[in-house]
Structure formats: structure tokens, C-alpha cells
Amino acid sequence: MREAIKEAARAWLHLTIGAAVSLLCYLMVGVVLFTAFLTLTVIGAGVLPESVLLLRRLAGWERRRAAAWTGTPVPESYLPLEGPLPARVRTAVTDPGTRQDLLWAAAQLLYGLLLWYLSLILWAPALLVDGVRTGLAGRRPVALPLIGRLAGLAADGSRALLTPAPSAARDAALAARIEQLTATRAGAIAAHGAELRRIERDLHDGAQAHLVALSMRIGLARRAYDSDPVTARRLLDDAQAQAEEALAELRHVVRGIHPPILTDRGLTGAVHALAASSGLEAAVSVTGLGDHPQEGPRAPAAVEAAAYFVVAEALTNAAKHSGADRASVSLAREPAALRVRVRDEGRGGAEAGEGGGSGLTGMRRRVAALDGTVRLTSPEGGPTVIEVELPCVW
């Protein structure tokens, strides 16, 4: 009997909160309809999207209540209220989620209060009937659980009314996907612009300066050739050294665009080379990939380049900032993706947000441009683990 009373009290509390939600729905329906009417006269255009957002929050609260009672989450599906005011008003009016929330709010006015009134009526006779059954006959309560069933009806009603239709869920998922692709496209464009500026700076400060010096030395050698062959020879030797430095600078720039080692040795060989030159005791493990470009299918060039730069950036950060002396790199081929994992045994504390440094930001943008994901785990004291998944077709 004691357990039955506890469960009935819990159910009655759920119904009481539902009755309070019904009163809020009464206010929200009035506010939304009033602002919709004012929108027709342009006066309430700025208020309508905010009213719809309030209605969404109230519906979201009811979803969480229904999920807490039933143990099963209730999904939601809304189009984002973003952009200029006309676009927000149009979205607020045409979004199927708004109509669904209004329908739920109108229904909640009825069943929320009705079920609460029924629970009030049931309390006294339920206590009397179950008190007699359990006290005299020693049987289980049958009346008090009816209050729990009323709470279940309320939760099931909210679930049925607030679960989005499949078409609305697809539209919302499509809108979220478009928003994500817009963000990643902007990040890719920013990363591309930064890469172009870096290449221009490297060419201007490196190869171009060496080529200018080379041209000047060749010109001086031509002038001194007849009158001072020794000086001309020295100038030609300097010019040869300048040409070699210019070639080295050009190779450096080319490696920053697409490392030739990827073409020559494949991703596995390139990563082994990075590990060997990182200054760390770095172990490399490979699953499903060949040791040479000719062994088995290769990922697309863009995916290999992104994986290469992820490993290069992660090992560089580990060597410079983590204080680690050991690291590990793993490459794994999956049915529709390439997974890269870099772990160092350093001090940790790397920031996971956009403010985590230009290297990490560039890594995220490069991966996001390929619709990949980056996960950084770096607690204080270490270790730091960077996991990247790059979708690709093998």
C-alpha cells in the first residue's frame, strides 16, 4: 500500500505539472495567434518568431517530461529560425513543427486539465478501496494504480502529438545538413585562402628572393667575364648556390601543397617518414592498408593528403608543446572511411575549441571540407588523443 501511494503521488505530481503546462499553453496559444494577427498588419512581425521560439521551448519541456515518464526520448524537428526578419517570419509560419506545437498546445488545454481533475476525483475513493483491500483482504491495490495510468495517458498523448512526422523530420535534417555544409564550406574557403597566402608568402620570402639574387649574380658575372674571370667564376658559383636554395624553397612549397612522398610511397610510407623525422619515439600501426602504393586500393588523393597533414600537425604539436617523448600513430581502413588516431604521452591540456591554436583550427577545417570529423581528448596530465575519421570510397 505504501508503494502504491508513492507511485500514485508521483503520477499525480506529473499530472499537476501537466495542468500547469495546460495553463501556459492557454497563454502561449493566445500570444502566438495574437502576434500572427499583428503580423498581417506588419506591427507584430518582429514578435512572431520570438513567440514561436517560446512555444518551441514549452513543447521541448513537455517532450522531456514525457520522455522522463515513459523512458523513451521524444524527438523534435524544427527548421532553424535564422536570417533576416522576413525569412524568420516565413519559417515560423510555414514550419510544420509550429503547426504541430500549436495542435499539441490546443489539445493539452483539454486532456491536461481533464486528466488532472480525474486524478483529484480518484484520490479519495482509491485510498478507501485499496485501504480496505490491502488492510482486510491482503490483496494488491487496484484503484491507486489508475492514477498512474492517467499519467501514462498524458505522457502518451504528448508523445503522439509532439513526435514529428517523417517528412518534417527529413526536412529538418536536410536543413541542418545544409547549415552544416554551409559552415564547412566557409571553413574550407577560409582554409584555402590562408593556404594561398602562405604559399604566396613562402614564394615571396624564399624562392623569389633567391631567384632575384641569382639573376643579379648572373648579370654581374656577365659584366665581369671578360675583364675579371676569377670574379666572374666566383659570382657563378654563388649563382649556383642561389639556384640550389631556390630549388629547395620550391620543393618546400610543393610539399605544403601536396607532398610528393604521398605519390612515391603512399600514405603508409609517408606516415612512417613523418614518425621517423618527428623527434619522438613514434610507433606506427596500420590496419587494412598496404605498405606500398601498389598494394591494394588507395584512398582518394584529397583524403590521403588530409590524413598526412593531420598526422604531421599532431606530431609537430606533440614535439613542440606537449613535453612528450613518445607517441603512436594508427591508420585504419574501414568500409567507408579512413580513420587516423594520434596519441602522445605529454602533459595534455590542449584546447578542443576553435581557440585551440591555428594548427588545430586548420586541421579541423581541412577535415571538415571532406565531411570528416575530429575528436580531441586532452585532459590535464595527458595523454592527448586526436581521432579523425575521413569518409571515402575505396
Side-chain angles (χ1 to χ4, degrees), residues 18-38:
V21 171
S22 298
L23 297 178
L24 291 175
C25 287
Y26 179 80
L27 295 175
M28 284 305 308
V29 170
V31 168
V32 172
L33 293 179
F34 182 67
T35 53
F37 171 76
L38 291 180

Side-chain angles (χ1 to χ4, degrees), residues 7-214:
E7 288 299 319
R10 175 172 170 264
W12 185 77
L13 178 62
H14 181 84
L15 292 169
T16 301
I17 297 175
V21 171
S22 298
L23 297 178
L24 291 175
C25 287
Y26 179 80
L27 295 175
M28 284 305 308
V29 170
V31 168
V32 172
L33 293 179
F34 182 67
T35 53
F37 171 76
L38 291 180
T39 301
L40 298 177
T41 62
V42 191
I43 299 176
V47 183
L48 180 62
E50 303 303 322
S51 302
V52 171
L53 283 176
L54 286 176
L55 180 60
R56 288 183 179 183
R57 293 190 182 99
L58 183 61
W61 185 33
E62 182 64 19
R63 285 188 179 91
R64 290 189 292 274
R65 286 199 332 113
W69 184 263
T70 61
T72 305
V74 183
E76 67 177 27
S77 176
Y78 296 115
L79 297 176
L81 288 177
E82 297 176 346
L85 181 59
R88 297 174 64 203
V89 172
R90 184 168 57 251
T91 301
V93 173
T94 60
D95 184 7
T98 302
R99 296 191 294 271
Q100 187 177 35
D101 289 350
L102 284 173
L103 177 62
W104 161 76
Q108 178 74 25
L109 287 173
L110 300 176
Y111 72 78
L113 292 173
L114 177 62
L115 294 175
W116 181 67
Y117 286 139
L118 288 176
S119 68
L120 283 178
I121 296 172
L122 273 175
W123 262 113
L127 288 173
L128 178 62
V129 171
D130 286 341
V132 173
R133 282 178 59 86
T134 57
L136 298 180
R139 297 182 178 180
R140 289 189 173 188
V142 294
L144 285 172
L146 293 177
I147 300 177
R149 293 182 184 178
L150 292 178
L153 285 175
D156 290 340
S158 296
R159 171 182 294 279
L161 290 170
L162 290 175
T163 299
S167 59
R170 286 194 300 270
D171 292 343
L174 180 60
R177 180 62 173 161
I178 291 173
E179 183 179 0
Q180 179 190 10
L181 290 176
T182 301
T184 56
R185 179 177 178 271
I189 292 174
H192 179 67
E195 190 72 9
L196 287 178
R197 289 191 295 271
R198 182 192 66 80
I199 293 171
E200 181 182 7
R201 184 176 61 252
D202 290 346
L203 289 174
H204 181 272
D205 296 341
Q208 180 176 326
H210 290 303
L211 290 174
V212 170
L214 171 63

Side-chain angles (χ1 to χ4, degrees), residues 355-366:
S358 59
L360 289 174
T361 300
M363 180 192 302
R364 287 191 180 88
R365 288 176 174 174
R366 187 184 291 271

Side-chain angles (χ1 to χ4, degrees), residues 204-358:
H204 181 272
D205 296 341
Q208 180 176 326
H210 290 303
L211 290 174
V212 170
L214 171 63
S215 176
M216 292 177 60
R217 280 171 172 75
I218 292 176
L220 292 173
R222 288 181 60 187
R223 292 182 183 180
Y225 183 77
D226 293 328
S227 60
D228 191 354
V230 176
T231 302
R233 181 179 293 276
R234 181 175 55 80
L235 291 172
L236 288 174
D237 290 339
D238 292 343
Q240 183 178 6
Q242 290 290 336
E244 292 173 354
E245 292 179 5
L247 286 173
E249 290 290 340
L250 287 173
R251 291 191 190 98
H252 175 74
V253 173
V254 170
R255 282 196 298 270
I257 300 172
H258 183 81
I261 194 172
L262 282 176
T263 304
D264 299 337
R265 299 175 56 183
L267 180 60
T268 301
V271 169
H272 275 97
L274 283 174
S277 61
S278 64
L280 302 171
E281 183 183 341
V284 179
S285 63
V286 180
T287 304
L289 297 174
D291 292 334
H292 302 284
Q294 294 79 13
E295 296 182 3
R298 293 181 59 174
V303 173
E304 285 193 344
Y308 176 87
F309 285 115
V310 164
V311 175
E313 183 63 36
L315 291 178
T316 300
N317 287 344
K320 287 185 177 180
H321 308 299
S322 72
D325 55 3
R326 291 183 296 112
S328 62
V329 181
S330 66
L331 304 174
R333 172 187 171 186
E334 297 186 351
L338 173 66
R339 187 178 295 275
V340 182
R341 185 175 186 269
V342 183
R343 171 187 172 121
D344 70 67
E345 304 299 331
R347 64 177 64 94
E351 296 183 11
E354 281 293 325
S358 59

